[in-house]
Structure formats: structure tokens, C-alpha cells
Amino acid sequence: VQIYSIRMKLSVFILTLLPLCTHAFGLTPPVSRTSSVQNNPKTSLFPSPPLASLFSTKEEEDLKTDGNGKALAVNGGDATAKSSLSETLTVTSYFMLWYIFNIGYNIYNKQALNVLSYPWTIATIQMASGIPYFLTLWLTGLRLAPKLTPSEFVKLIPIALCHTGVHVGAVIALGAGAVSFAHIVKASEPVATCVLNGIILKEVLPLPVYLTLIPIIGGVAIASMKELSFTFLALASAMLSNISSAARGVLSKKTMSASSIGENMTAQNLYAVLTGMSTLILIPLMLLIEGTSFIPAFKSLANAPGGGFTSMSLAGLLAAGGLTYYAYNEVAFLALGKVNPVTHAVGNTIKRVVIIVASVIAFKTPMSRGSIVGSSVAILGTLMYSLAMNNQKKK
């Protein structure tokens, strides 16, 4: 128990350092004189979407407007109707897969953490699981491989550090508390975004944007007070994951907009590169914090009589967590490329609700009335924040 406590304290300490380490690489974003902190989808891997008409695909918008944004008459031809139907089915498929993979990841992840309390090792396995996938695509030519110089790799290190913090913080939070509680706290990411942009970019946002933070903070506070499975470790880890995510967005925008990075650096390829870099970052941290004790724990659990696991089934559980982790991020990029950004933001909000409900059903996690009210208020506040920021961008 004492070793576990020391390990968890060290985990939180390192998680705190990961976003701060970006300053060592000279990539702290300069002061911006603009009032918007929205990331441009063309220049940032992790964009905050601009406002567009709700619930329509990009292709449908193109059919309605010309190159200057003027409305065009739309003829109800068979080709247009078939194209629209095909596009709708494609988008629906992407969203369904996005939700299914995300739900699967959270359930597989929590199941693994329930029997193996080694969040850093499990996070490393999950991060590395995507490497065979994108290497296969690159080697077979199904996707053009990115080309980066050593100096360009160095520029991506701060983003990779934050990417690492986002993932391992979420994994620790899921292991320390209920899946539902981790996602309630994760809904407060806009607060971290506003704070970091105010401190680093010196940006002052319109009052309506800041007002939307009130229900987010209040909702998370209510949910935390009434959460039956509350732990400070889950709260701290989820919040540090939020901070890392906010820092990743700022640095991604700064790096990708300042100059072009490499060749063939699509959003999917950039994510793949960060996955590889984060794996290299996680390996030494995993060995520092947890050593190789995961291996005997794995063998002991697999060989335990009546334990319910074999070596194959336990390895399959870990692999499933890793594959669904990479798959849901890959599909999320495909969905973002097919719909207007507000639709994606609404879909992301609904996804969080679906995950909370699915985890409560899967793990029979009780939620108090206060926790349900708090989570509902926080998630609604997150949606209001997205819409307020999009309105600000439009102005």
C-alpha cells in the first residue's frame, strides 16, 4: 500500500511537469493581440471549431453556396440526392464507430485497471498499440508516409509531451475512480483552456464566454461533492489531463501555423507521429515509476486459480484497450473532416453523455442525484462554451 501511495504521488508530480516541460524547448506561444483563441482546423491538430450551420455536412454546404458564400438554387436531381444520401450514411457510420470505439475503450481500459493497478504500463501499451496500424498503412502505400527533418521532430516534442500527459492523466483517473466521474471532470477542460490562454496568450475573451464557465465549474463541484466514488487522485489526474490537453491545443496551433512541418503531414499522420513520440516518452517514465513489476503481476493474475483470466484473455483485454483507443481517435478525425465543426462539437458532447451512461450500466456504478445533476450542468455548460466561442469567432 505504501509503495502504491508513493507511486501515485510520483505519477501526479510527473503529470504536473509534462505541460511545464514544453518551456524547455522554447515553444511558449507569443502574446497574441487577437481576442479569439479558436484553433484553425487547417493549422492545428486539435482545433476548436468555428461556427457553421448546425447539423449539415461540408458537402451539403458546398451545394448550397458558391465560392463566395452566395446562396445557390439547389436542383433536386437524382445525382444530388444519391450523393447526399451516401454522404449522410457515411457521416452516420463515422459517428457510430466513434461512439462504439470510445465506449469500448473506456470499458476495456477500466476492466484492465480494475485487475492490474499499473496505469503507466497500461497507458504505454495503449499508446504503442497504434504503431503497427499506421506503420502498415505507410509501408503498404495505403497512406503516404510523413517526412520530417530532425529539427522538425524537435519542434513537435512539446506537443508530444502534452499528448502524453493527456492520455496518462486520463488513464490514472479512470483507474482511481469511476469512469463516469472521470468524464465529468474532463468536461471542465474549457476552464483550463481559458486560464492558459489568459496567462500565456494574454487574451481577454467576451463576457458571455466566461459566463459559460460558471455552470461548468459549478457542475463539476456539485458532482465531486456528491460523487460516491470520489478520490482526490481521480480529480487531480483528470484535471492535469485537461491542462495538458489545453496546452497541446495552444502549442499545436502555434507550431503548425508558424511554419509548415514536414511533408504529408495530414491530421492523421501528425497524430500517428505524436503517438510514436509519446510512446518513446512513456517507456522511461513507466520504468521509472512502475519498473517491471507489471510482468509478475500479469503472470500471477493469469495463473491464479479461479481468477477468471488466462494469459491469452488478459493480453486480449490489454490489446483491445489499445486498439480501440487509437481507433476512436482515427475515426474522430474522419468525422471532423466530414461535418461542420459545430456538429462535431455537439456530437462530442453527446458522446460524453453516452460514455457516462454506458459505464454506469457496464460497471453498475451508482450515481447520486447530486452527481447526475452536477454532471448534466457541467456537460451543458461545455456545449454552451463551444457555441459562445464559435459566435465570438464568427464576429
Side-chain angles (χ1 to χ4, degrees), residues 178-196:
V179 175
S180 56
F181 179 65
H183 280 276
I184 292 169
V185 179
K186 287 286 288 177
S188 65
E189 184 179 326
V191 179
T193 301
C194 283
V195 171
L196 279 184

Side-chain angles (χ1 to χ4, degrees), residues 69 205 247 255 266 270 276 374:
L205 297 169
T255 303
T266 61
L270 183 52

Side-chain angles (χ1 to χ4, degrees), residues 343-360:
T343 303
H344 195 272
V346 172
N348 196 41
T349 302
I350 297 173
K351 177 208 72 178
R352 199 172 296 282
V353 175
V354 171
I355 291 173
I356 291 174
V357 173
S359 67
V360 168

Side-chain angles (χ1 to χ4, degrees), residues 122-131 134 160 163-165 167-168 271 274-280 282 322 325-326:
I122 290 175
T124 304
I125 293 172
Q126 291 171 350
M127 189 68 75
S129 295
I131 295 177
F134 61 74
H163 185 62
T164 304
H167 181 53
V168 76
Y271 187 81
L274 291 179
T275 295
M277 295 176 70
S278 291
T279 301
L280 295 177
L282 275 170
Y325 167 71
Y326 196 87

